[in-house]
């Protein structure tokens, strides 16, 4: 029930078209409905060209295709994360514009070409094995409309690599740092800049890495201040957050 | 050594005021110093009225007073976190303007009154026991120059409490959510807004809370996207990051 | 040895048909046997139309079919949990009435249609991936004789979803809440009602979810009081407990 | 805004005393307010003679006394948990009827004597060191209005002890089982009855007990079905839940 | 109810002194009572000169003295573990024969001098800091009646130390090995003998020892077969088990 | 080289049958070999008909067959644990007497029928899924020469089951208790007897059972004294230890 | 940019050959470039005949072959770790000199035969299952140019085995000890020598070994001093470190 | 007993000077004695001027003084670690030359001034709170005879700090890196040098640092190769190992 519906209802009460009792009946469950309405509204404002997101892990190709079909019909752009090749082929059949970002296993369908933000999100990785997670962050942010600059394999064991990327760090508005194993890169980056740094631990590594626990703890305990941490391998979340921060400056 | 210093030095070499040998002496450690210089420079830009931060945990009152003295002499503002009453009294002796924020155990000394940002940082807590950590975030962000709006005790077990604060959520540019026990508040807040949300787990609780591990994991696994997490009880870090994000919109 | 057997034995002693020595021999191991008897008796009262439960995980199809056959012959209804398609086909051969609940992987065989309780158990999930566990709870409770109302995908990241289900919450006698990832839904539900809430963490999620550890800790630390927690993915246990609580009001 | 307020507002619209615009203004923030209202309403129904609960851990005596004073003035009964002797003396000064349950460190103030439920909650402990947690559950349930029967020190290492309490188990509507160390008692009790069993692990023990982790895991993995688990040492939560279950049968 | 009681009851039924109904009444609760009886009986056989054990941790001196008094009156010997100096002085007042084993913090009161077993229990420690736990094992086993041979500070970092104790290993019937830090001694001992080895991890150490978790895991994973493990610091349990094994050979 | 071999060698030196140089060659590695010799000697005493043990996990069928062949040639009996069907067929080819214990996946080859001990080892399980581990213990102990009595599926959730096995408990010299899930059975058994109890946790269960961690902790924290614990699923170790304890009474 | 370059630049400024602005441009990016340069230089000195290392886990055969091709062209020797058979065949096609070390799954390609160090690295394992990790260490160290002596299956459960290898321990300059399960071997070795000992835990074992956590903790807590620990299964790292230590003595 | 002793013994047997029985007696305890002897020998070579080490944690001042007295009498130098002020005063009384290193809480007593090694051990810390652990390493290595160069507070959050210490890194033979919180410094150092790096995690930090677990895991997972890790806060062990490595180059 939106404001104009409410006005209409009150007008009807005023003119006697609706009894007070009937109006009361419609209004008394309002709290819950209205929150829903508010939420949908907020969603709408969110969605000026924003893609709908489908997390594909654990969904069958049929389910993914079904959801996609419904969303495309509703005019939404699509971002499907952790999607298999098969999922891509199914979506490609539904819409020729579908693009598969193989490294990140993300599928994007856009109805119109989007103007990207002026502000740039830098996405860095420590190693080459961290790239899929970084790509998920980059593709997500780009699909939401952010300009993205990726720099890979600049881990701290060769410290000159990140130091030589000063221009990238200087040119970015917000920085996503993806690292597995020792997860040390965000601490170094956090000490070089005074911008928001989003750290994403990856499950890359073995033994006492415990599937990403080691870099997760490293990042939470970073001696550089102003670093926030995402769940292990959560490139998507990092992309969303980086985009939201980036939008503040547009 | 900033660009204008360098220019001056080179000018002096050109005009003969400085010999090549003397200039060389000053420049020969430049590679490393220069990184330092870059860093100092970046620090300087950081420090237009920015406070120096002293983490007091594990330092003696004498050490804290010593560092403060040196910094005050250098003209810096001071932010001392996790400071005891005794530390406060020692700093108060050094500078009458020192203010002790008891709840957050933070001491602030400012040479001049600062103009706050137009953008507002909202700092929320789930319970009343989370307030000290939230206050650390709030005092930190304010000391750095951000306008802060705090709303406490709006945990999800009384969901109407956070829902009734829609105006606060709407009015903020970035939101810090502090919660112990189940750590569920950031997920709810993250679902109500499309702004950056910084989640801070606290060590509040008992038993299987494991000194903050439970809310830490909750927040890392939030089903709302775009939430980043700080270390347990790290209000300071949240304040710094929130301020950095807030600055993007100024 | 039931009461009438005992009476008969004592009568035989009284009338001399049995010597004291013989009676003593039969009675001297009574403690243990009798507990067994008590237990069986209690079991009997438990089983007025109650199904026998077969946990299929780790059993071969042959074993499952064998147990089912014996139980059906004994007149028992059957509830087989975590059953494969193959197990279903084997049981279907034994009894045409067998029904396979695919989502929960549960098989039910009932000799007669059961009258359900007047009291209703609400079973909620935070996400769609939590549905299999919720279905296990729902099918279990229903097989035991409880009326069940399921509401899925009402997680806290879209808080309006659970708020719009006030009538379901109001209409239930006991509520089972199933959630993975951040496991925050039970806290919100627990704050909206003053009824027993049974929380079931699921292994849904990734990274720092640690196969259900994150929502398990969240739920144990819920800031809403009166919430009890089951093992990870233990829909069956939740169904049994909810039914037992529900029966109190019949 | 309650139903009669709403009726009045609509009547005013109908009769022209309030313009549609003014009514709209009052209604448009309804969603949030109304949830709050609903909640307060639900709270009210909750509070027919229900005590207000104060969790004293981490609060100063002054804070506890302040909260108590306000609540007593509002006519509420009081249940203060994890309260020190000093807290008790402060509350005693405010109201002579205050009673201190030393074992559970709980304070109760009741304005009138309450009629207890007909249904009984049994509270059992495995050892004598588990008694404080059990007492917290018992005092809580009693303060809420439930009849409680406590049986202590009936752990499984002397299995005859719990077996000899068959009458207590038979006479109860819901059973709270408190145990530290191996946490095995709930499994045995759960196998003897077909009633709801609430298991509470305690931090009693040493070494590989890991402050209650061992019994917590034991209880979550109970091989008896229908057992739900509370946080470590959470006697209060167990008391609330047991009371809620007990009320279903009244 | 012992066999002769039962015979008497059946005789009374036979002769008509007791009605069948009365006998039935007495017998129908037998299961529970009888288990208790069996247990008490077994206890009795256990207690020919066996001490009663009081675990003092968490008990007040008054409680300890009270329990001791009652037991001494009942003629029992006393073994009080983890007892403070104060507890010792209180027990000493009750009985002059009380002996305080300071290293193990155990108090023993014996009414008569006991003949020790012919079989010997060897108790070894890796380091000197493990001695208190070893002493608890030794004092416990001795108080139960076993001959004990202790050898301390023979850890594997000086492998010749344990090798030079071949005679002790050869002369023992069962071996208790107490070790903190790396917990490696039981593996070496287990490889040198073909006797039962009981390993007790201690909380000695620091850092990644995690209060005994490290040696606990070491011992559970011993590459020597036939080693069983006790809880961290559980010298008492090791003493009881070693004595029980030792008794088999008497 | 045993004492009589040594004597013979020295005799040969004395009588000139062996030159000093030859004797020296045999003896010169003695220090270390002698430890080996002691070890081998002890092995020999161990091996009056004792089988050689092959842990098959991670070995190829060829490797297993190779080791078996060599051992059979040396006259040893064979016990191969965690063996596949294929390993069995390979060994069967080598020796027709090979027997495959399917439940425990153990293969036994014995040259002569062994006289079993008079003392009996009782092996109990809580559930049916614990049987493979229990069988490994039973087959191991039997292969070493112990009489074994197995009783399965007597978990504490049906407490009458273990109580009805009093005769088994009474008749055993040492008791192995195998349990997964809550791991509570050893505590109950430990309270019923005053014999050595060896507890073996199994990885049976799911969720918060954490692959056997839950029952492992339960058993380490048993409130019954005199219980020692083996590694998760370590039936072989339990069998060896039980046999060693059993031998003490022969 | 070395001192003489700097002097030249300053001279040019002095004489007017270079403008101040141009000099400033060259100097302002100095820090980053210089570090990079230093690093490259250091790399060069590192690579006199040193192999390039390819970690094959998670790389496709095509990727591995591609990297190898480029490196061979550049004249580098190759060390490919954790390589599959397929990777070997692909590299063999590129260069006939490729050798596959099957146990360690390492491939080595060397352009010329290398003179090994005079100092020897001893690599020991506790069991046979630890050999692959030990071989990775041995092959790595050898490929780097160190002489290596391997001794396998000398675990502490048969202590004579390591004692009989005194000559190996005496002859080595640095010792790598690889062990799974209880991880006790490094403590014993560390007590026998006063040389650097590098301990490598392996994921060998089961149950409470937790994939190598148990030996990792054992080794970190070794009661022998002077032992350092590598990540679980990190034979490669141990080989590199051992070689670096070994080089100190050449 | 060396080969020539053995030859003599055998000769005596051959010639009848020694009976076979006497020879047998001398030979049968050989293994153990010999190992012990070898060990003592090796100890002797170890102790040319080496200090005896006393780990003071958990020892009383009396015990420490007692041990020291005995050792001083034996002519040993003393290194007492984790020593209190009181321990120092007690040792000072025994020997005026005692020096207390307050930061590391280590006491050193040396009979003669030692010539230090030509090779230098660099000891670095990330922060100022890591200094006590670093000092323990430095004092230990120095007491053993190594030249030590300490550089503190060069953590990665200000990367220029470690980069500006290139000369220290270049001048050292082995490097000890001490770090708490994120533990990232060893990875950076490991990438800058090709020397042995010993990483020591400290318990400095809070929250998800878990008393040193976070930096421990970081270091074990370092992406720079050739780094070995010590137990948390184990400065002593690092000092010993660094010295042993340093000696190789003397």
């Amino acid at each position: 029930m939106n404001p104009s519906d409410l006005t209409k209802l009150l007008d009807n009460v005023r003119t006697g078209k609706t009894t007070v009792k009937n109006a009361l009946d419609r209004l008394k469950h309002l709290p819950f409905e209205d929150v829903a309405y508010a939420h949908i509204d907020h969603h709408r404002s969110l969605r000026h060209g924003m893609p709908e997101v489908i997390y594909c892990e654990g969904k069958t190709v049929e389910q993914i295709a079904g959801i996609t079909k419904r969303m495309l019909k509703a005019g939404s752009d699509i971002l499907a994360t952790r999607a298999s090749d098969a999922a891509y082929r199914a979506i490609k059949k539904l819409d020729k514009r579908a693009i598969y970002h193989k490294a990140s296993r993300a599928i994007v369908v856009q109805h119109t070409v989007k103007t990207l933000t002026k502000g740039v999100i830098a996405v860095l990785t420590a190693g080459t094995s961290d790239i899929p997670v970084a790509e998920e962050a980059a593709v997500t942010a780009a699909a939401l409309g952010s300009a993205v600059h990726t720099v890979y394999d600049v881990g701290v064991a060769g410290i000159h690599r990140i130091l030589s990327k000063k221009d990238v760090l200087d040119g970015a508005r917000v920085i996503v740092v993806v690292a597995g194993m020792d997860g040390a890169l965000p601490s170094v980056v956090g000490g070089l800049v005074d911008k928001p740094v989003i750290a994403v631990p990856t499950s890359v590594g073995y033994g006492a890495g415990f599937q990403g626990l080691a870099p997760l703890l490293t990042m939470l305990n970073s001696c550089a201040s102003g670093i926030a941490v995402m769940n292990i391998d959560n490139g998507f979340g990092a992309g969303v957050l980086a985009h939201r921060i980036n939008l503040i400056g547009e």
Side-chain angles (χ1 to χ4, degrees), chain A:
Chain A
M1 185 177 277
N2 58 25
S4 71
D5 287 344
L6 248 184
T7 307
K8 208 175 293 177
L9 180 69
L10 290 170
D11 269 335
N12 287 348
V13 168
R14 189 179 53 80
T15 57
K17 280 190 193 154
T18 301
T19 65
V20 165
K21 197 180 160 298
N22 282 350
L24 189 62
D25 276 356
R26 289 204 54 198
L27 289 172
K28 77 183 170 191
H29 291 303
L30 202 62
F32 294 108
E33 284 170 54
D34 251 29
V35 174
Y37 135 74
H39 196 77
I40 285 164
D41 188 62
H42 137 72
H43 255 202
R44 200 172 308 149
S45 79
L46 217 170
R47 275 177 207 148
H48 288 127
M50 295 289 146
E52 286 284 347
V53 179
I54 310 168
Y55 181 75
C56 298
E57 199 103 18
K59 294 206 178 73
T60 65
V61 170
E62 287 70 35
Q63 290 174 318
I64 294 165
I67 300 168
T68 305
K69 204 170 181 177
R70 228 171 328 119
M71 285 178 169
L72 285 172
K73 209 173 279 179
S76 293
D77 286 0
I78 303 289
L79 169 60
T81 63
R82 312 219 169 171
S84 64
D85 239 321
Y88 168 59
R89 284 191 304 266
I91 291 181
K92 190 75 177 181
K93 266 193 203 157
L94 294 173
D95 194 316
K96 291 282 168 207
R97 291 166 301 191
I99 295 169
Y100 190 37
H101 297 265
K102 224 163 181 175
S104 61
R105 293 169 52 216
I107 303 165
V108 174
V109 190
Q110 288 188 318
H111 291 278
T112 59
V113 175
K114 215 167 275 196
T115 316
L116 296 181
T117 56
K118 275 181 280 183
V120 172
I121 296 169
V123 178
L124 317 175
T125 73
T128 54
S129 328
D130 304 315
I131 292 177
V133 174
E135 280 290 300
E136 192 180 85
V139 169
T140 297
L144 291 166
S146 273
V148 178
H149 191 145
T150 58
V151 178
Y152 295 155
D153 198 20
V154 291
V156 303
I159 195 69
H160 62 291
R161 295 182 296 182
I162 183 61
L163 294 181
S164 71
K165 297 296 174 185
K166 197 173 177 293
D167 53 329
V168 176
L169 302 181
D170 285 355
R173 196 178 267 158
V174 50
I175 302 171
V176 174
V177 187
V178 182
M181 300 187 73
D182 57 22
L185 186 56
S187 288
V188 171
V189 171
L192 290 173
V193 302
D194 53 351
K195 315 180 171 198
V197 172
I198 304 169
V200 189
T202 69
S203 52
V204 166
Y206 61 89
F210 296 123
Q211 280 78 52
L213 180 64
L216 172 64
L217 293 183
T218 307
M219 291 168 178
L220 287 167
N221 289 284
S222 177
C223 47
S225 40
I227 296 176
V229 185
M230 308 303 297
N231 194 358
I232 297 161
D233 291 336
N234 189 5
F236 169 71
V240 171
L241 179 57
H243 174 69
R244 288 185 180 178
I245 294 172
N246 190 22
L247 279 189
I248 291 173
E250 296 295 296

